[in-house]
Amino acid sequence: MEKLIITAAICGAEVTKEHNPAVPYTLEEMVREAKSAFEAGAAVIHVHVREDDGTPTQDRERFRVVLDAIKEACPGVILIPSTGGATGMTPEERLQPTELMPEMATLDCGTCNFSDDIFVNDMPTMRAFGKRMLENNIKPEYECFEIGHLDTILNMAAKGEVPGAPMQFNFVLGVNGCTPATVDNLSFLVNKIPAGSTWTVTGVGRGAWPMAAAGIVMGGNVRVGFEDNIYLGRGHKAASNGELVAKVVRLAKELGREIATPDEARKILGLTK
Ligand code: KMH
Ligand code: ZN
């Protein structure tokens, strides 16, 4: 089995300091959380940005400052800025971080319910995002929240509308209104990806730890972080993203899987930039 790539999704767009006071908003807080995750063993940081008051934004300059500061604090780390942003944002707003030519960015693979909201990723939106990533040589992390999202993106790749092999999938399971975080659902998805692809699993809320364990033993990769889950265990809030990453490292050690450095992760993901 390849070494395990751990991604930390340090702030997301929905979770707030009311949920967990350690959720980062400001530049200093973002760097603190990224560093805690990196030092605990994360090779990848998935980045959303916020205004200082916590409002989610996709502002290109905010991304520039935050990505640069994280790069400096976490040498070699792989950064995956979000093109999902928050529900209700326009495609143009969401695409802004791709203007910074990151080596990777998320590409969300279909429309879905997202708690009480609708996360809109219709075909024209996805085609525009695919075109931008092809033009800017950005490797997408294909985020699938629903089982049908995988078929959608595989069809688009077959038509050349989005970057193709080797593809990196992130199965985000357990969002309210989307495919639940079960081993059955994860296996179904993993069995359908093309040979030579890589995959990560993200379990949302109480799905976080069962999915982390499944990802480790099934030979995939694991994402944790405040974007997805704020608890280390029942009723026990994590004091930092680093604590969440450290728990994945412990699980992996117990289960006999080594952790990938950022350079090793770049090779596993086939990054060329
Ligand atoms: N905040 C969610 C609505 C992504 O980063 O690409 C979407 C999201 C996906 O977080
Ligand atoms: Zn995200």
Side-chain angles (χ1 to χ4, degrees), residues 15-25 32 226 229-232 236-241 244:
V15 68
T16 67
K17 285 188 192 293
E18 283 68 50
H19 300 116
N20 185 326
V23 170
Y25 300 159
R32 180 199 72 212
F226 289 153
N229 163 53
I230 56 170
Y231 292 100
L232 268 179
H236 181 181
K237 286 187 185 176
S240 67
N241 278 276
L244 298 170

Side-chain angles (χ1 to χ4, degrees), residues 60-189:
R60 185 186 61 189
E61 293 315 308
R62 183 71 165 185
F63 262 106
R64 190 196 301 280
V65 170
V66 169
L67 295 174
D68 284 352
I70 295 178
K71 263 186 216 159
E72 200 176 320
C74 308
V77 77
I78 299 168
L79 296 173
I80 307 188
S82 173
T83 66
T87 56
M89 290 178 171
T90 65
E92 294 70 28
E93 224 177 328
R94 286 167 50 184
L95 272 173
Q96 291 178 75
T98 62
E99 294 166 19
L100 302 171
M101 307 292 185
E103 58 188 329
M104 293 186 77
T106 58
L107 196 160
D108 299 289
C109 300
T111 296
C112 52
N113 287 314
F114 209 92
S115 294
D116 287 351
D117 299 321
I118 298 177
F119 183 32
V120 178
N121 295 285
D122 55 19
M123 295 306 293
T125 299
M126 288 192 286
R127 283 191 197 105
F129 283 36
K131 185 167 178 280
R132 174 66 61 83
M133 298 209 193
L134 285 164
E135 283 166 0
N136 288 11
N137 189 25
I138 299 167
K139 182 177 172 103
E141 177 166 83
Y142 292 111
E143 295 217 357
C144 299
F145 298 88
E146 290 276 33
I147 284 189
H149 289 183
L150 180 56
D151 283 302
T152 305
I153 208 68
L154 291 177
N155 288 334
M156 292 183 77
K159 289 185 196 151
E161 293 177 328
V162 296
M167 298 169 83
Q168 156 64 11
F169 301 92
N170 180 15
F171 301 122
V172 184
L173 302 180
V175 169
N176 271 334
C178 297
T179 300
T182 67
V183 172
D184 261 3
N185 289 337
L186 179 61
S187 305
F188 180 88
L189 287 159

Side-chain angles (χ1 to χ4, degrees), residues 46 48 82 143 223 227:
H46 169 54
H48 286 251
S82 173
E143 295 217 357
R223 181 176 110 177
E227 175 166 350

